[in-house]
Amino acid sequence: MMPLISDVHSTGSDSDLLRDKLTLLLDSTGEGIYGIDLDGRCTFINRAGADMLGYRVEQVLGKNMHDLAHHSHEHGGHYPEEACPILMAFRKGESCRVDQEVFWRADGTSFPVEYSSYQIVDGGQVRGAVITFSDISKRRLAEEQLQRAKAELELRVAERTRELSAALRQVRQLSAHAHSVREDERTRIAREIHDELGSLLVALKLDVNWMAKRVDDREPVARKCEAMNRLIETAVDNVGRIITDLRPSILDHQGLIAALEWQVQEFSEATELPCEVEFDIAPEAFVPDGAKATAAFRIFQEMLSNVARHAQATQVRIAVRLTPAELAMEVEDNGVGAARDALEASTSYGVMGMRERALHFGGALVIAGARFAPDDGARGGPGTLVCLRLPLSSRN
């Protein structure tokens, strides 16, 4: 049987020397080390272990170590001996390692420890155990400080995120307000042009016609009246175009879908591009109106305008779908495509404007590569697909 240190009582000098060397070895380590017998009584303990527990070595020998230093949980609750991992492990012939418990000092204070227990086996039988333990107060303090710093950092990040989110909401609200003010101003200007300038041009045309009827016998004056009449008609057409660009009256009088169909026709006539057009309007769906209708129409205008100005396309596909849940609009071309850097650039005001209008109403604007191939071998590039998804309530 391997003797425990406290059991070495040989009269020989060799045994005394061995005991002294073992004692010196144990006392030279900074970890606490002690041994227990099958009853849990201390058979030896090194000086570092006794110091950590607040005892002298001779005060610990023979004492039940669980009752002495492991009797309570960290928060003071009783720690029954039958639940002690040290005793359960070595009595089963096993080892254990624990780093979430505390040992108690002689003065009644506790300290966090990391301990390991290894059974002592002699002749195939367990005779006791050797326990090594370390005071991990500094490590626990560092972990707690790290955890507090992490929690504080997370709190600051959350606060900053809330601040940035609030600022972003304010910017979007300001942007939406600016769009609303701009639309109101456009409507006011269009109405004034129609009421004032339009009325003057109509009156002027009537006066020229009146003069022309009275100078039939004076050919030079009659020709001048005819030329003036043509100029007035041109001015009337230009005024009508300006009014429509400012605020299409069809949007206010006939609604969004009619305005979108009119815009598609205008685009097709202006660009002379082959257009595949699809309008799928569910009978039970409510057509958006008010600010949401204006936003959808302006986004659609910008989609088509970008194709006309930048795409260099030979084919265009336009799809508008309205369901009770959402309004979806897609404009797809087979043009030169658009680089992602260009779409994300801070100077891409058109794309930014479309996205902000969509986000204000809870929608999303997605720009991707085209999905369809040109028909009849028509020349085309990678193309661009711009898709708007605008959620709708039961009534808009």
Side-chain angles (χ1 to χ4, degrees), residues 5-53:
I5 289 180
S6 60
D7 293 334
V8 178
H9 298 295
S10 173
T11 58
S13 60
D14 289 342
S15 297
D16 293 339
L17 181 60
L18 175 60
R19 183 179 60 188
D20 291 342
K21 286 184 176 180
L22 287 174
T23 301
L24 181 62
L25 177 63
L26 292 174
D27 288 343
S28 67
T29 180
E31 288 187 321
I33 304 175
Y34 66 87
I36 57 175
D37 60 19
L38 293 177
D39 294 324
R41 295 189 302 268
C42 180
T43 57
F44 69 88
I45 187 169
N46 68 341
R47 185 176 295 109
D51 289 343
M52 277 189 272
L53 296 176

Side-chain angles (χ1 to χ4, degrees), residues 66-138:
H66 184 80
D67 294 340
L68 186 75
H70 203 204
H71 50 77
S72 302
H73 290 288
E74 181 175 0
H75 300 294
H78 176 61
Y79 202 151
E81 184 173 319
E82 57 270 19
C84 176
I86 297 173
L87 299 177
M88 287 194 302
F90 90 84
R91 286 171 181 171
K92 294 179 180 178
E94 299 174 351
S95 301
C96 73
R97 183 180 182 85
V98 178
D99 62 358
Q100 298 295 328
E101 294 186 358
V102 298
F103 279 0
W104 293 84
R105 301 185 183 94
D107 61 4
T109 60
S110 65
F111 61 97
V113 292
E114 177 181 75
Y115 65 82
S116 300
S117 174
Y118 302 94
Q119 68 273 19
I120 298 173
V121 181
D122 183 34
Q125 293 185 336
V126 176
R127 302 296 183 179
V130 174
I131 295 89
T132 63
F133 66 96
S134 301
D135 184 345
I136 59 172
S137 298
K138 292 182 178 179

